[in-house]
Amino acid sequence: MKKKSTIVDIAARVGITPSAVSKALHGNTRISDDTRNAVLKAAQELGYQQNSMASALRTGRTGLIGILVPGIHYSFFSSAIKGAEEVLSDAGYSVMISQSKDSQEQEKKQLDGFVRANVEGVIASLGMETKQVGFYQEFSKDRPLVLFDRVFEDESISNIVIDDFQAAVKVVDHLAEMGYRRIAHLGGYSHILAFNKRMEGYKYGLVKHGLPVLDHFIFESSPDKDFAMAVMESLFNLPDPPDAVVAASDYLALGVLNFAKSRQIDVPGQLGIVGFSNEELTKHITPSLTTVDQFSEAMGQAAAELLLDQISCIHKGQEAVSQRRVFIPKLIVRDSTRRELHLANDE
Amino acid sequence: MKKKSTIVDIAARVGITPSAVSKALHGNTRISDDTRNAVLKAAQELGYQQNSMASALRTGRTGLIGILVPGIHYSFFSSAIKGAEEVLSDAGYSVMISQSKDSQEQEKKQLDGFVRANVEGVIASLGMETKQVGFYQEFSKDRPLVLFDRVFEDESISNIVIDDFQAAVKVVDHLAEMGYRRIAHLGGYSHILAFNKRMEGYKYGLVKHGLPVLDHFIFESSPDKDFAMAVMESLFNLPDPPDAVVAASDYLALGVLNFAKSRQIDVPGQLGIVGFSNEELTKHITPSLTTVDQFSEAMGQAAAELLLDQISCIHKGQEAVSQRRVFIPKLIVRDSTRRELHLANDE
DNA sequence: ATGAAAGCGCTAACAG
DNA sequence: CTGTTAGCGCTTTCAT
């Protein structure tokens, strides 16, 4: 454990004071080129590393950004984090990561952890169970906050979403075009805006195509494969089961697919299935799954950019205005809805 | 932006000194219950939050742990991070994450970032291109370091690996048992210990079963699907192509599978395929892929535990001894090698 | 262009 | 049991 050198050591070596060293190291202040070079050289020789705790304490800036997601192992979130991390790291920030595991309590706790660590800003996506968002609003009064994907409505908080309504309409358009008529919906909890929008888009789509909106075809749940199978079980015990399912997530869709396999239901012939997220696995399963691409990495990047924007606004002493960015989703048609199977043509 | 209160404010309110407050807040020191309660109450009322920068500066402890992986979007790594994050977060640490993108330069840079942020320890997995590991060794002289999965040999550094040799032997055992005789190997770069061990295990397995070790059946590469397809192309232009392929990663195996599909080669009849990692998608593709489970989440947890161990050793003033933990891999037999297809029986 | 001095908020010896 | 004191390493006026 070698002891690290400080600006005092450098000062001693060069024969000036610590304050002069500090200035020389930061470049911006007026200092003679000679001393600056001497300082730089000495710093090099001593293997000087600036003590971030000290400067953080002094300046109030930690160079830390927190990212809070339900779970890092979902490919949507890990891609988003990948995108954000790259942008933030390039801008000289370090990234802290926490998982809420879809629990509101955890979420609060982790956000608190960020506060204690003195992050300069946070990028977050809400957990499924999160209904009260007061603590987020509280937080965002103090520091920049950008929400992405799973957001709540608040004029004063920046967010990045995809146009989920639009996406769901596109999905129904496609299904209708393929001749599906009895389209069910397996949604997520509707207090999450994204899921709510998908639900609305689904309904709008049905109406647009003159299809019936049936309450008993609409479900709301956690993104759980087993739940999906249970729901399908009940649907297929009806005299008129659906001929297509719009799932609010790929994992739900996977559950539907498993159910179909177990019951020998032909996909896409007897049952069309659409997922949501374009998880990596959707293109590899059989039949490959029609889904909606959410541009996860780009969303992460955009979230990081908005946050950096806000931070720099604050440093310039301006009031940071909240912004929102909406990504236009892309329907990826694959075999699970391709009723007359032409040549497979992914992506 | 409400100004946050400090222990000085609390001290003033309760009518004692800051140092007494500090003791009261930390519980361990001898302090009367009365004052402690008064302090706690005042802290509550003032919404006191301890300033981590100040205490970090004073104590030299930041409560930060860095995790460095090639890419957070690989499910192996994101699961490992999930496991580690949970353990570390429970132990009161915050987790910083960086990606090396398999570049040694990035890796150095990110590790440096960790040093600047004054992390108390690092968990890392090497990038593919990393051949010089001096900067890791340098780092580990200063602070606890635990390597996992992609490690290098160094007595003094703790690591977590699976027994890759063992795993590869199991794979070959299984293939031999299924009657495959001409078994090729698509490996990763052999300077990565894990890949090297897999290679050795593969060879050992062949010898054990009296099968020929053919140099032109052995390849070394980056984990790239397209590369896999190219290699297979060349192998199947030989007069005696292989009847099975052991791939060092699931993504390589996926490339092999794609090749087989494009050439109408029957899997598992004509060609058996085994992957490595048990990525989520391997169980959903058709045919489902025989692979080796690496217990990614458990590895992450174990890495975190070893690191916490080392940190607590250091705090106790003991020399931290390096430990290694080896996970016994588990072969997951699925359809891509199940020559006589019995009832599907996953996991 | 450089130096002196003060202090960010907290903690840890040491006194009392 | 509680208070006093002295910094951790750095930045930042204000003087020189």
Coordinates of all heavy atoms in Angstrom, one line a residue, chain B residues 186-187 219-236 245 247-260 271 273:
Chain B
L186 N -14.6 -24.9 -31.4 CA -14.6 -23.5 -31.7 C -14.3 -22.8 -30.4 O -15.2 -22.6 -29.5 CB -15.9 -23.0 -32.2 CG -16.1 -23.2 -33.7 CD1 -17.5 -22.5 -34.1 CD2 -15.0 -22.5 -34.4
G187 N -13.1 -22.4 -30.2 CA -12.7 -21.9 -28.9 C -12.6 -20.3 -28.9 O -12.7 -19.7 -29.9
F219 N -10.3 -24.3 -33.5 CA -10.2 -22.9 -33.8 C -10.2 -22.0 -32.6 O -10.7 -22.4 -31.6 CB -11.3 -22.6 -34.8 CG -11.3 -23.3 -36.1 CD1 -11.8 -24.6 -36.1 CD2 -10.7 -22.8 -37.2 CE1 -11.8 -25.3 -37.3 CE2 -10.7 -23.5 -38.4 CZ -11.2 -24.7 -38.4
E220 N -9.6 -20.9 -32.8 CA -9.5 -19.9 -31.7 C -10.0 -18.6 -32.2 O -9.5 -18.1 -33.3 CB -8.1 -19.9 -31.3 CG -7.8 -19.1 -30.1 CD -6.3 -19.2 -29.7 OE1 -5.8 -20.3 -29.6 OE2 -5.7 -18.2 -29.4
S221 N -10.9 -17.9 -31.5 CA -11.4 -16.7 -32.1 C -12.1 -15.8 -31.1 O -12.3 -16.2 -30.0 CB -12.4 -17.0 -33.2 OG -13.6 -17.3 -32.6
S222 N -12.6 -14.7 -31.6 CA -13.5 -13.8 -30.8 C -14.8 -14.5 -30.8 O -15.1 -15.2 -31.7 CB -13.5 -12.4 -31.4 OG -14.1 -12.5 -32.7
P223 N -15.7 -14.1 -29.9 CA -17.0 -14.8 -29.8 C -18.0 -14.2 -30.8 O -18.9 -13.6 -30.4 CB -17.4 -14.5 -28.3 CG -16.8 -13.2 -28.1 CD -15.6 -13.1 -28.9
D224 N -17.8 -14.6 -32.0 CA -18.5 -13.8 -33.1 C -19.3 -14.8 -33.9 O -18.7 -15.8 -34.4 CB -17.4 -13.1 -33.9 CG -18.1 -12.3 -35.0 OD1 -19.0 -11.5 -34.6 OD2 -17.7 -12.4 -36.1
K225 N -20.5 -14.6 -34.0 CA -21.4 -15.5 -34.8 C -20.9 -15.7 -36.2 O -20.9 -16.8 -36.7 CB -22.8 -15.0 -34.8 CG -23.8 -15.8 -33.9 CD -25.1 -15.1 -33.7 CE -25.9 -14.9 -35.0 NZ -27.3 -14.4 -34.6
D226 N -20.6 -14.6 -36.8 CA -20.2 -14.6 -38.2 C -18.9 -15.4 -38.4 O -18.8 -16.2 -39.4 CB -20.0 -13.2 -38.8 CG -21.3 -12.5 -38.8 OD1 -22.4 -13.1 -38.8 OD2 -21.3 -11.2 -38.6
F227 N -18.0 -15.2 -37.5 CA -16.8 -16.0 -37.5 C -17.1 -17.5 -37.5 O -16.6 -18.3 -38.2 CB -15.9 -15.6 -36.4 CG -14.6 -16.5 -36.3 CD1 -13.5 -16.2 -37.1 CD2 -14.6 -17.6 -35.5 CE1 -12.4 -16.9 -37.0 CE2 -13.5 -18.4 -35.4 CZ -12.4 -18.1 -36.2
A228 N -18.0 -17.8 -36.6 CA -18.4 -19.2 -36.4 C -18.9 -19.8 -37.8 O -18.6 -20.9 -38.2 CB -19.5 -19.4 -35.4
M229 N -19.7 -19.0 -38.4 CA -20.3 -19.5 -39.7 C -19.2 -19.7 -40.7 O -19.2 -20.7 -41.5 CB -21.4 -18.5 -40.2 CG -22.6 -18.5 -39.4 SD -24.0 -17.7 -40.1 CE -24.4 -18.8 -41.5
A230 N -18.2 -18.8 -40.8 CA -17.1 -18.9 -41.7 C -16.3 -20.2 -41.4 O -16.0 -20.9 -42.4 CB -16.2 -17.7 -41.6
V231 N -16.0 -20.4 -40.2 CA -15.3 -21.6 -39.8 C -16.0 -22.9 -40.3 O -15.4 -23.8 -40.8 CB -15.0 -21.6 -38.3 CG1 -14.5 -23.0 -37.9 CG2 -14.0 -20.6 -37.9
M232 N -17.3 -22.9 -40.0 CA -18.1 -24.1 -40.3 C -18.1 -24.3 -41.8 O -18.0 -25.4 -42.3 CB -19.5 -23.9 -39.8 CG -19.7 -23.9 -38.3 SD -18.8 -25.3 -37.5 CE -19.8 -26.7 -38.1
E233 N -18.2 -23.2 -42.5 CA -18.1 -23.3 -44.0 C -16.9 -24.0 -44.4 O -17.0 -25.0 -45.2 CB -18.1 -21.8 -44.6 CG -18.3 -21.7 -46.0 CD -19.8 -22.0 -46.4 OE1 -20.7 -21.5 -45.7 OE2 -20.0 -22.7 -47.4
S234 N -15.8 -23.6 -43.9 CA -14.5 -24.2 -44.3 C -14.5 -25.7 -43.8 O -14.0 -26.6 -44.5 CB -13.3 -23.5 -43.7 OG -13.1 -23.8 -42.3
L235 N -15.0 -26.0 -42.6 CA -15.0 -27.4 -42.1 C -15.8 -28.3 -43.0 O -15.5 -29.4 -43.3 CB -15.5 -27.4 -40.7 CG -14.5 -27.1 -39.6 CD1 -15.2 -27.0 -38.2 CD2 -13.4 -28.1 -39.5
F236 N -17.0 -27.7 -43.5 CA -17.8 -28.6 -44.3 C -17.4 -28.7 -45.7 O -18.1 -29.3 -46.5 CB -19.3 -28.2 -44.1 CG -19.9 -28.9 -42.9 CD1 -19.7 -28.5 -41.6 CD2 -20.7 -30.0 -43.1 CE1 -20.2 -29.2 -40.6 CE2 -21.3 -30.7 -42.0 CZ -21.0 -30.3 -40.8
V245 N -19.8 -30.2 -32.8 CA -19.0 -29.0 -32.5 C -19.2 -28.7 -31.0 O -20.3 -28.5 -30.5 CB -19.4 -27.9 -33.4 CG1 -18.6 -26.6 -33.0 CG2 -19.2 -28.2 -34.8
A247 N -18.6 -25.6 -28.8 CA -18.3 -24.2 -29.0 C -18.0 -23.6 -27.6 O -18.6 -24.0 -26.6 CB -19.5 -23.4 -29.6
A248 N -17.1 -22.6 -27.5 CA -16.7 -22.1 -26.2 C -17.7 -21.0 -25.7 O -17.5 -20.5 -24.7 CB -15.3 -21.5 -26.3
S249 N -18.7 -20.7 -26.5 CA -19.7 -19.8 -26.1 C -21.0 -20.1 -26.8 O -21.0 -20.6 -27.9 CB -19.3 -18.3 -26.3 OG -19.7 -17.9 -27.6
D250 N -22.1 -19.7 -26.2 CA -23.4 -19.9 -26.8 C -23.6 -19.1 -28.1 O -24.3 -19.6 -29.0 CB -24.5 -19.5 -25.8 CG -24.7 -20.5 -24.7 OD1 -24.4 -21.7 -24.9 OD2 -25.2 -20.1 -23.6
Y251 N -23.0 -18.0 -28.1 CA -23.1 -17.2 -29.4 C -22.4 -17.8 -30.5 O -22.9 -17.8 -31.7 CB -22.7 -15.7 -29.2 CG -23.7 -15.0 -28.3 CD1 -23.6 -14.9 -27.0 CD2 -24.9 -14.5 -28.9 CE1 -24.6 -14.2 -26.2 CE2 -25.9 -13.9 -28.2 CZ -25.7 -13.7 -26.8 OH -26.7 -13.1 -26.1
L252 N -21.2 -18.4 -30.2 CA -20.6 -19.2 -31.3 C -21.4 -20.4 -31.7 O -21.6 -20.6 -32.9 CB -19.2 -19.7 -30.8 CG -18.1 -18.7 -30.7 CD1 -16.9 -19.3 -30.0 CD2 -17.7 -18.3 -32.2
A253 N -22.0 -21.0 -30.7 CA -22.9 -22.2 -31.0 C -24.1 -21.7 -31.9 O -24.5 -22.5 -32.8 CB -23.4 -22.8 -29.7
L254 N -24.5 -20.6 -31.6 CA -25.7 -20.0 -32.4 C -25.2 -19.9 -33.9 O -26.0 -20.2 -34.8 CB -26.1 -18.7 -31.8 CG -27.5 -18.3 -31.9 CD1 -28.4 -19.4 -31.3 CD2 -27.7 -16.9 -31.2
G255 N -24.0 -19.4 -34.1 CA -23.5 -19.3 -35.4 C -23.4 -20.6 -36.1 O -23.8 -20.8 -37.3
V256 N -23.0 -21.6 -35.4 CA -22.9 -23.0 -35.9 C -24.3 -23.5 -36.3 O -24.5 -24.0 -37.4 CB -22.3 -23.9 -34.9 CG1 -22.3 -25.4 -35.4 CG2 -20.9 -23.5 -34.5
L257 N -25.3 -23.2 -35.4 CA -26.6 -23.6 -35.7 C -27.2 -22.9 -36.9 O -27.8 -23.6 -37.8 CB -27.5 -23.2 -34.5 CG -28.9 -23.9 -34.4 CD1 -28.8 -25.4 -34.5 CD2 -29.5 -23.4 -33.1
N258 N -26.9 -21.6 -37.0 CA -27.4 -20.9 -38.2 C -26.8 -21.5 -39.5 O -27.5 -21.7 -40.5 CB -27.0 -19.4 -38.1 CG -27.9 -18.7 -37.2 OD1 -28.9 -19.2 -36.7 ND2 -27.5 -17.4 -36.9
F259 N -25.5 -21.8 -39.4 CA -24.9 -22.4 -40.5 C -25.6 -23.7 -40.9 O -25.9 -24.0 -42.1 CB -23.4 -22.7 -40.2 CG -22.7 -23.6 -41.2 CD1 -22.3 -23.1 -42.4 CD2 -22.6 -25.0 -41.0 CE1 -21.7 -23.9 -43.4 CE2 -22.0 -25.8 -41.9 CZ -21.5 -25.3 -43.1
A260 N -25.8 -24.5 -39.9 CA -26.5 -25.8 -40.1 C -27.8 -25.6 -40.8 O -28.2 -26.4 -41.7 CB -26.6 -26.6 -38.8
L271 N -25.3 -33.4 -37.1 CA -24.3 -32.5 -36.3 C -24.8 -32.2 -34.9 O -25.9 -31.7 -34.8 CB -24.1 -31.2 -37.1 CG -23.1 -30.2 -36.6 CD1 -21.6 -30.8 -36.8 CD2 -23.2 -28.9 -37.2
I273 N -24.4 -30.1 -31.4 CA -23.8 -28.8 -31.1 C -23.9 -28.5 -29.6 O -25.0 -28.7 -29.0 CB -24.5 -27.6 -31.8 CG1 -24.5 -27.8 -33.3 CG2 -23.9 -26.3 -31.5 CD1 -25.3 -26.8 -34.1

